[in-house]
Amino acid sequence: MLIHCQYAWLPDGVFPDVVLEIRENRLTRVTRLQDHDDLARAVGDMPDSGVSSPQSTQDRRGGAGDGVVYRAGLTMAGFANAHSHAFHRALRGRTHGDRGSFWTWREQMYRVAAALDPDSYYRLARGVYGEMALGGITSVGEFHYLHHGPDGTPYADPNAMSQALIAAAQDAGLRITLLDTLYLTASVDGKPLEGPQLRFGDGDALRWADRVDALPDAPHLVVGAAIHSVRAVPLPQMATVAAWAAGRPLHAHVSEQRAENEACLAEHGRTPTEVLADFGAVHETFTAVHATHLTHRDMALLSDSYACFCPTTERDLGDGIGPARTLADAGTRLTLGSDSHAVIDFFEESRALELDERLATEQRGHFTAAELRAAATATGHTSLGWPDAGRIEVGARADLVTVALDSPRTAGIDPEGVLFAASAADVTHVLADGREIVRDGRHVTVDVARELQEAISCLY
């Protein structure tokens, strides 16, 4: 397959007239065209292409049997959503009563958590992952703790809820990193789980590990691990998860709220980051999710790790603005997530990383467009265990997202400014691992709006 991009965002910048060759799920050639003859050579050099040199630009754009698909707009690498709770999508627009307090949000979250079973979770997740695909996301890190039946009893297949997510991602065309999450207690001081929380728990870390070990292999799946937070995992159990996850992605919610830090200091005399580091969790494949309220020592400990910012959720919950630039300067690799899915729009998440810094510092110019793109693409994929994704270069996975440059939002912009101008609605085409999953702004297999409407309506 050959794709002629009007513009393509390559590792060293945005360029016009780029031809990409795809075989199976890989980019096998990236050619910057200088003139019409270059396109003819690109087509002619493709083994067994069976096509002749194109006769005109119109032929190329119209796909008139010349073997080249033309993509108007800017084509860039697929986004990596490094932090997702799929079931939270059912809360969108429903948690703002009582002026949208945290408790309003939490009670709604627990209500949804109690209502789901493997079948309904599959239907909801397929719609959520379909919405991600429409916005150009090709890999998702699912921070998964909704494990068992509503009263905590395991299903006949103890991984039935995990299997629902894995199948939903496959049907929506995404790769999934299942960050299977240990969740054992309700508070830092060890208060037991109760009510809707019961289905989160495995009893202890060894039983959690036995369950996760039974998950199957699949080409679109990486199995990683997560420590939900310092309030949900007793300290001795953290070491078991860290040891199990050696060499795999390991994530944890870290210092999302000031109250979390205060409770951890009162109980353990250390910050959440220090506790996680003490039990072997903080290393080069570790991701601190949110990382909002950190000390200078915390940031030093995270210098070889990842930090995943989720700006639209952090602002929705009123959690605060994390020290993204300071972390990046210390060596921490930044990624992005849509977390609770108050919004699924990685253009918004990307620019929010910069715009939130501007609000916090009252200054502009903290991140370059290339840095924001890396957080949303290559770095995010690597943090999820897909290091060969997120770049348009030979050998990379063929994850391609084309963004319209003629919408009311993007008309007249410099293509390199797309992260500051576009929205998810401007995505026209998406390939994930070489498979077309979005065409002309519509998912090719999932009726996303209908499926979300039906799946969410069943929960209320």
Side-chain angles (χ1 to χ4, degrees):
M1 179 182 186
L2 288 176
I3 299 177
H4 176 194
C5 307
Q6 182 184 10
Y7 294 95
W9 201 338
L10 306 181
D12 53 343
V14 174
F15 298 95
D17 289 317
V18 176
V19 173
L20 308 176
E21 180 186 87
I22 299 169
R23 297 193 191 173
E24 297 181 352
N25 68 336
R26 299 283 168 173
L27 289 164
T28 53
R29 191 161 39 145
V30 178
T31 305
R32 291 172 53 192
L33 304 181
Q34 302 300 318
D35 54 37
H36 175 81
D37 290 339
D38 279 352
L39 180 60
R41 284 190 289 271
V43 174
D45 289 345
M46 186 177 182
D48 301 320
S49 62
V51 297
S52 58
S53 299
Q55 299 301 308
S56 67
T57 300
Q58 183 60 42
D59 286 345
R60 299 199 304 274
R61 291 172 186 255
D66 61 13
V68 182
V69 176
Y70 185 82
R71 287 284 183 259
L74 171 67
T75 297
M76 57 188 296
F79 294 126
N81 188 347
H83 189 67
S84 163
H85 301 296
F87 77 97
H88 288 190
R89 172 62 178 81
L91 305 177
R92 186 185 294 177
R94 296 176 178 269
T95 63
H96 301 283
D98 189 28
R99 297 191 298 179
S101 72
F102 174 78
W103 305 108
T104 303
W105 179 88
R106 192 174 80 159
E107 288 308 309
Q108 285 284 101
M109 186 268 284
Y110 283 155
R111 193 175 308 162
V112 170
L116 288 163
D117 60 26
D119 290 338
S120 59
Y121 202 14
Y122 163 74
R123 292 191 296 271
L124 174 60
R126 186 172 65 177
V128 175
Y129 296 152
E131 184 180 358
M132 291 184 194
L134 289 175
I137 292 165
T138 55
S139 292
V140 58
E142 184 62 40
F143 198 104
H144 169 55
Y145 54 86
L146 200 58
H147 298 308
H148 306 299
D151 64 353
T153 301
Y155 291 102
D157 174 0
N159 284 309
M161 295 294 270
S162 303
Q163 298 278 26
L165 293 165
I166 294 166
Q170 182 174 37
D171 290 351
L174 304 190
R175 293 185 300 275
I176 182 170
T177 298
L178 187 75
L179 299 161
D180 201 291
T181 304
L182 183 65
Y183 196 132
L184 299 175
T185 57
S187 61
V188 174
D189 60 2
K191 181 180 178 182
L193 302 178
E194 60 182 10
Q197 299 172 329
L198 290 171
R199 70 185 314 179
F200 306 163
D202 282 295
D204 60 41
L206 290 176
R207 277 178 279 185
W208 166 86
D210 286 342
R211 179 180 56 75
V212 180
D213 281 337
L215 283 166
D217 294 326
H220 75 296
L221 170 67
V222 165
V223 177
I227 294 167
H228 181 275
S229 59
V230 293
R231 71 178 182 275
V233 178
L235 271 58
Q237 308 276 348
M238 292 182 182
T240 300
V241 182
W244 183 93
R248 301 172 184 253
L250 174 63
H251 292 216
H253 294 124
V254 176
S255 294
E256 183 175 0
Q257 298 175 333
R258 295 185 191 278
E260 176 186 333
N261 285 2
E262 293 164 2
C264 192
L265 286 166
E267 183 69 22
H268 303 304
R270 290 163 287 172
T271 66
T273 302
E274 289 171 331
V275 167
L276 288 161
D278 286 348
F279 286 88
V282 178
H283 45 64
E284 63 180 11
T285 63
F286 175 71
T287 296
V289 180
H290 302 303
T292 307
H293 303 288
L294 301 178
T295 66
H296 291 296
R297 172 159 171 74
D298 292 340
M299 288 186 271
L301 288 170
L302 294 170
S303 61
D304 293 326
S305 301
Y306 298 92
C308 180
F309 284 75
C310 306
T312 61
T313 290
E314 288 149 8
R315 70 169 72 131
D316 182 63
L317 295 179
D319 287 337
I321 298 170
R325 184 69 260 175
T326 303
L327 279 167
D329 289 342
T332 305
R333 293 156 287 173
L334 303 186
T335 67
L336 294 168
S338 62
D339 192 0
S340 69
H341 313 309
V343 175
I344 298 179
D345 187 332
F346 258 57
F347 301 96
E348 179 65 24
E349 303 292 354
S350 299
R351 58 179 164 258
L353 199 63
E354 165 68 23
L355 298 180
D356 284 359
E357 283 279 336
R358 294 181 186 182
L359 285 175
T361 65
E362 301 179 44
Q363 295 179 346
R364 303 183 79 222
H366 300 274
F367 293 96
T368 66
E371 287 176 310
L372 298 178
R373 179 196 59 168
T377 57
T379 309
H381 289 289
T382 302
S383 77
L384 296 176
W386 306 101
D388 52 355
R391 292 173 296 276
I392 298 181
E393 63 184 22
V394 173
R397 290 176 179 270
D399 289 4
L400 302 175
V401 176
T402 301
V403 186
L405 295 177
D406 59 357
S407 78
R409 291 162 294 279
T410 59
I413 70 167
D414 180 336
E416 196 165 342
V418 71
L419 293 179
F420 284 92
S423 78
D426 297 315
V427 172
T428 62
H429 294 80
V430 179
L431 272 69
D433 278 334
R435 170 190 171 194
E436 186 175 57
I437 58 174
V438 174
R439 181 188 306 130
D440 296 325
R442 298 182 66 85
H443 200 286
V444 299
T445 58
V446 180
D447 185 342
V448 174
R450 180 181 64 81
E451 293 201 12
L452 285 171
Q453 177 68 37
E454 292 177 357
I456 293 170
S457 296
C458 291
L459 302 176
Y460 290 94

